[in-house]
């Protein structure tokens, strides 16, 4: 797995997207075709499930596209989902 400067999400953790939505991490999975890790996560409020490449999940906010956003990271760990 590629080295990231941040702690990799773990199942059960709660992470928040810079736009405000909170998500529970389901797991880190491998893409069978490209062998790239992906994050499987579920909306805390709506229970919708999502998949995103781990590298994108862990990336910085595109401040050219979103100049008013003060967050550095696209997703930030908030707390365990059970809290």
């Amino acid at each position: 797995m590629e080295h990231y400067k941040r702690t990799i999400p773990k199942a059960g953790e709660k992470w928040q997207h810079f736009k405000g939505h909170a998500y529970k991490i389901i797991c880190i999975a491998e893409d069978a075709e490209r062998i790239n890790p992906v994050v499987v996560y579920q909306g805390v409020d709506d229970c919708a499930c999502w998949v995103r490449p781990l590298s994108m999940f862990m990336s910085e906010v595109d401040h050219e596209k979103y100049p008013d956003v003060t967050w550095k990271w696209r997703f930030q760990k908030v707390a365990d989902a059970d809290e």
Side-chain angles (χ1 to χ4, degrees):
M1 183 179 297
E2 181 180 335
H3 175 72
Y4 294 93
K5 296 176 184 175
R6 303 174 63 204
T7 302
I8 303 298
K10 293 182 178 71
E13 292 179 342
K14 183 178 175 183
W15 286 61
Q16 187 171 1
H17 188 267
F18 75 91
K19 291 182 180 178
H21 298 286
Y23 299 93
K24 177 182 175 183
I25 304 299
I26 303 301
C27 68
I28 304 296
E30 292 290 334
D31 178 332
E33 296 298 320
R34 296 187 284 166
I35 317 299
N36 289 326
V38 295
V39 180
V40 181
Y41 55 104
Q42 183 176 32
V44 171
D45 296 328
D46 62 9
C47 295
C49 287
W50 301 90
V51 175
R52 184 183 297 257
L54 180 59
S55 60
M56 183 183 285
F57 189 93
M58 302 302 289
S59 69
E60 293 187 26
V61 172
D62 180 347
H63 287 102
E64 289 185 20
K65 186 173 180 181
Y66 301 101
D68 296 331
V69 173
T70 59
W71 285 31
K72 179 176 182 174
W73 304 109
R74 180 184 300 266
F75 285 89
Q76 295 183 34
K77 183 178 175 185
V78 177
D80 291 336
D82 295 334
E83 291 180 359

